[in-house]
Amino acid sequence: MTKLHIPWEDRPADSTEVVWRCSRNPVIPRNLIPTANSIFNSAAVPFQNGFAGVFRVDNRKREMSLHRGFSTDGYSWQIDHDPINWSFPSQELSAFSYRYDPRVTWIEDRYYISWCNGYHGPTIGLGWTADFQTFHFLENALLPFNRNGVLFPRRIKNRYVLLNRPSDNGHTPFGDIFLSQSPDMIHWGEHRFVMGATRGWESTKIGAGPTPIETKEGWLLFYHGVLTSCNGFVYSFGAALLDLDEPWKVIARGEPYLLSPQENYECVGDVPNVVFPCSALHEPDTGRIALYYGAADTVTALAFTTEQFVLDFLREY
Ligand code: BMA
């Protein structure tokens, strides 16, 4: 089998950035499929000889749903025009309110999907697929109100671990990252505080981004942070390193952001000034990382970095 290559561009010669943007951004336009108002905050994973993804599509009725997609190169995507057709464990879970901001994580033998699920308010929905053909809905992991549920890619001390961010029912003006643990993906407890909003770009609230990446030094976590300006929220993202065995312990956390909304497609759209990462493709042998992020709640963009660049950045700050 030929080796799968993740999307990649070297850092431009004149750049000193730790994270740099893809020259083809935005890689997914808002109107890639005819039913879409916007396609953003979405998750891609390696699948067979290419990539598969779960996409946040806000349709032209402005309903927020999850759609399936495939790609051979990680840049050009074929996204289903209709939302994922879930199989439900119970009729009570099937009522549609909204489903958005998916993350996808391979654990053991299947892809788990976590998202913000409308169930009498936002909470963390979970599901899984093995083949991207049938999609199985699981019980909500937590009670409302919660957002930004992100699974670790393996059990830690025999527990599945889920980062999450307790919130309110609206445009929450606060928010710290916690984690919850489970023996079976159904029952969640042993909740721990991980880290809170601090200052500057992450002074209002923070939330986990892509599935954490395991490195020798700890779990590498990209997360978004929000600043409240006189013009509204500004979403940037940065990085932290969590302890491998007790991932609620923060080993390092970068003070500056890694990427903030500065390009036109990040500053202009349905919600201006948003960069919001939901997935990271990682090549262990090269350390390359390709981050998919939603821009201005409208389009999907790519940015690049390496494990080493981010670990060096975290050591410096
Ligand atoms: C958050 C979520 C994200 C969105 C962001 C900016 O609360 O709804 O989906 O990208 O706000 O609007």
Side-chain angles (χ1 to χ4, degrees):
M1 208 171 86
T2 54
K3 188 172 169 292
L4 179 67
H5 286 292
I6 67 171
W8 182 255
E9 289 174 5
D10 286 331
R11 183 164 77 172
D14 58 350
S15 170
T16 55
E17 299 291 339
V18 178
V19 169
W20 56 97
R21 293 173 179 80
C22 176
S23 63
R24 293 159 66 171
N25 275 349
V27 290
I28 300 177
R30 65 184 306 162
N31 59 355
L32 183 71
I33 59 174
T35 45
N37 167 76
S38 43
I39 309 174
F40 58 109
N41 301 4
S42 298
V45 287
F47 178 70
Q48 294 176 350
N49 297 323
F51 303 92
V54 177
F55 293 84
R56 169 171 176 174
V57 177
D58 291 8
N59 69 18
R60 293 178 179 214
K61 294 183 258 173
R62 298 304 297 264
E63 294 163 333
M64 303 178 269
S65 294
L66 306 178
H67 290 226
R68 176 187 72 165
F70 296 106
S71 173
T72 52
D73 61 4
Y75 294 99
S76 308
W77 288 86
Q78 289 76 47
I79 299 178
D80 290 350
H81 295 190
D82 293 314
I84 290 171
N85 185 12
W86 293 92
S87 92
F88 294 97
S90 138
Q91 271 311 107
E92 283 154 27
L93 294 174
S94 67
F96 175 79
S97 173
Y98 50 80
R99 299 177 188 137
Y100 66 73
D101 295 1
R103 274 73 163 186
V104 183
T105 308
W106 172 263
I107 310 177
E108 292 159 10
D109 60 354
R110 61 191 73 182
Y111 298 93
Y112 285 92
I113 304 159
S114 55
W115 67 91
C116 176
N117 191 39
Y119 181 77
H120 306 275
T123 185
I124 308 303
L126 289 180
W128 63 272
T129 182
D131 53 9
F132 280 88
Q133 299 297 331
T134 51
F135 289 80
H136 306 266
F137 215 86
L138 293 169
E139 295 287 336
N140 289 309
L142 300 167
L143 292 169
F145 306 120
N146 203 307
R147 292 184 172 96
N148 298 302
V150 178
L151 287 162
F152 283 74
R154 65 169 171 83
R155 290 193 222 204
I156 302 171
K157 296 190 178 151
N158 215 23
R159 294 279 190 269
Y160 296 106
V161 183
L162 176 72
L163 295 163
N164 60 88
R165 211 282 300 288
S167 67
D168 68 13
N169 201 8
H171 302 294
T172 316
F174 61 87
D176 299 338
I177 298 177
F178 289 75
L179 69 74
S180 307
Q181 305 179 66
S182 170
D184 57 5
M185 282 278 176
I186 305 286
H187 305 89
W188 294 90
E190 298 174 302
H191 312 289
R192 297 280 184 277
F193 174 81
V194 180
M195 59 189 204
T198 53
R199 61 187 86 81
W201 67 273
E202 47 178 333
S203 49
T204 299
K205 54 181 170 176
I206 58 173
T211 302
I213 296 170
E214 187 163 9
T215 75
K216 285 196 191 72
E217 299 180 39
W219 294 104
L220 179 54
L221 175 70
F222 295 99
Y223 66 98
H224 66 261
V226 180
L227 168 152
T228 305
S229 79
C230 45
N231 226 357
F233 287 158
V234 178
Y235 281 72
S236 306
F237 69 82
L241 199 63
L242 309 178
D243 185 82
L244 284 177
D245 298 319
E246 296 181 324
W248 54 90
K249 292 188 177 154
V250 180
I251 299 170
R253 179 171 177 182
E255 277 190 65
Y257 60 69
L258 290 172
L259 199 91
S260 83
Q262 298 185 5
E263 293 295 329
N264 264 328
Y265 54 90
E266 299 163 343
C267 300
V268 180
D270 285 352
V271 181
N273 306 318
V274 181
V275 293
F276 196 99
C278 286
S279 75
L281 299 172
H282 175 226
E283 239 172 43
D285 52 338
T286 60
R288 291 175 176 179
I289 296 172
L291 290 156
Y292 289 86
Y293 66 98
D297 283 12
T298 304
V299 295
T300 303
L302 264 173
F304 305 111
T305 185
T306 68
E307 213 178 292
Q308 209 49 53
F309 273 135
V310 185
L311 292 176
D312 289 346
F313 161 82
L314 289 171
R315 225 170 277 122
E316 190 178 338
Y317 296 99

